[in-house]
Amino acid sequence: MHVGAHVSIADGVDNAIGREEDVGGNCGQIFTASPQVWAGPDIDDEEATRFREGELGPWVIHASYLVNLATPKDDLREKSIASLQDECDAAAELGIEYVNVHLGAHTGAGVENGLDNAASTIDELDIPSDVTLLVESDAGSGTKLGDEFAHLAAVRDRSDTDIGFCLDTAHTFAAGYDLSSPEAVEETVAAFDDTVGLDDLHCFHLNDSKHACGTNKDEHAHIGEGEIGDAGMRAIVTHDDLRELPFVLETPTEDGRGFAWNIDRVRELRAD
Ligand SMILES: [Zn+2]
Ligand SMILES: [Zn+2]
């Protein structure tokens, strides 16, 4: 199975490979720069070459948290386009297949305007042919978009760009789609397939949720220890339509049980 975690690129992007192997992952995700500031990727040719020669994958670049595709504000839109373009170019340079981004918030412009803005912002990008932009599902706090599957489909349908999607299980669950039992997973997968289509689903962020279904609260928990729980997690990672997809973990790391523990747990659930 393809399972891995979000790892650091400190001291060179090629170091992400060893960090991934250290936690038992065979695919993964990185930030190319600090996600809390407007900083572009700073990758030299040698580290890029070493990264490209690595054997793990698929890899995902997670865009900066400052990017807001849905914004009605011109200056933020321009900064978002420039930042995301840099990420897409870095992905091509590194041989990375996916760039993952949130739709962002409409900040009062309304859902429909926000979805229009997101689609037209995406169409400003010049995405290299071997890179796919993935829009990530959101927990839906405040005016953030992407909590409803219909938002994801709307942006794809209003855009001329061939985008794909990443489902973050903690976000999707918090957004109101139950994933806590085999039946619930079946229902949520069917809802996604009906609204968006499973063909456009390329990746999972596999995280348990500290908060209940429908709370719109985004806080990740260790696999099996949150409100989704073992039964839901097992149903996701063994699902016939999902099991071939990459499962990238963004589980907590600050309490001693890091990615290695969580990746082991996923492999156990898969094997049960
Ligand atoms: Zn994300
Ligand atoms: Zn995520």
Side-chain angles (χ1 to χ4, degrees), residues 62 136 168 171 205 207 220 250:
H62 194 302
E136 179 179 351
D168 184 311
H171 299 172
H205 284 169
N207 303 305
H220 300 177
E250 301 167 317

Side-chain angles (χ1 to χ4, degrees), residues 125-239:
L125 297 165
D126 181 12
I127 301 175
S129 58
D130 40 4
V131 175
T132 301
L133 186 69
L134 302 183
V135 169
E136 179 179 351
S137 64
D138 204 273
S141 63
T143 66
K144 285 185 184 162
L145 299 172
D147 52 328
E148 294 181 26
F149 293 158
H151 293 175
L152 306 178
V155 170
R156 178 195 57 201
D157 296 345
R158 295 175 198 190
S159 153
D160 296 323
T161 308
D162 200 8
I163 61 171
F165 300 100
C166 170
L167 279 183
D168 184 311
T169 52
H171 299 172
T172 294
F173 183 74
Y177 297 97
D178 194 3
L179 292 167
S180 62
S181 69
E183 299 74 24
V185 168
E186 207 53 65
E187 223 170 283
T188 293
V189 170
F192 183 88
D193 197 25
D194 286 347
T195 311
V196 184
L198 285 169
D199 284 350
D200 286 339
L201 180 61
H202 292 261
C203 183
F204 267 92
H205 284 169
L206 195 70
N207 303 305
D208 213 323
S209 172
K210 285 193 180 158
H211 300 285
C213 184
T215 53
N216 300 115
K217 284 191 191 160
D218 175 13
E219 220 181 330
H220 300 177
H222 292 299
I223 299 298
E225 306 218 329
E227 298 286 326
I228 295 176
D230 277 343
M233 283 294 165
R234 184 185 295 109
I236 294 164
V237 300
T238 58
H239 195 287

